[in-house]
Amino acid sequence: VAQANPSRPFLLYAMMSINQTSFRTLIDTGASASCVSFRALKLAMQFRYLDHTNRSFTLADGALPLSIVGSVELTLHLDSHDVPFHAFVAETLCVDLILGLDFMLAFNAVINVASQQFSFEFSGHRWFIPVDDRQRRSLVPLYSRDETVIPPR
């Protein structure tokens, strides 16, 4: 029997210390590359641009492009360890940072859905990142019977 209510999507959020700044982070297995928002990057300290090449990615929905204005090297701070990684700089994002499959593959990440834990390997150790369940949002799918055009503001 199908339920009338949509299922609550499992989105994994965490607060992470990136370049001495607290970043609201989405851990996204659907993102092929990690991205940092330009707004959040302006608050971070001591990052290094790797390039300033403008790019555009097509998102999974195929409707909107993601505008990229370069790439940077960032550092995730864990106790006394610094984990360097690269991220594309996006003009706009719904969070400060999206950790994509590039990060997960490079650091052998594991997402344990049952315990809601995210972990990865670095420097011979498995690091566990606490998930911030308060940041999960209830998403409700919207369907239109007719074609709808919403003009820009």
Side-chain angles (χ1 to χ4, degrees), residues 6-9 11 13 133-141:
S7 62
R8 185 173 180 192
L11 298 175
Y13 292 96
D133 195 50
R134 295 170 299 155
Q135 293 191 44
R136 285 177 57 179
R137 300 182 204 158
S138 294
L139 301 179
V140 178

Side-chain angles (χ1 to χ4, degrees), residues 40-125:
L41 191 61
K42 289 192 303 187
L43 302 174
M45 304 180 83
Q46 300 174 347
F47 63 88
R48 182 173 66 93
Y49 263 96
L50 300 172
D51 72 64
H52 290 279
T53 305
N54 289 333
R55 300 176 177 94
S56 182
F57 291 145
T58 302
L59 300 179
D61 64 9
L64 296 174
L66 180 64
S67 296
I68 301 296
V69 295
S71 62
V72 291
E73 182 177 74
L74 298 173
T75 303
L76 168 62
H77 303 287
L78 298 166
D79 296 331
S80 61
H81 290 81
D82 290 338
V83 181
F85 67 99
H86 297 170
F88 288 108
V89 181
E91 286 183 346
T92 57
L93 283 178
C94 61
V95 292
D96 298 327
L97 176 68
I98 294 176
L99 282 185
L101 283 177
D102 57 339
F103 182 94
M104 294 178 217
L105 291 170
F107 296 102
N108 193 24
V110 173
I111 297 173
N112 185 325
V113 178
S115 64
Q116 296 187 18
Q117 287 186 335
F118 174 73
S119 66
F120 64 92
E121 292 177 359
F122 178 73
S123 190
H125 182 74

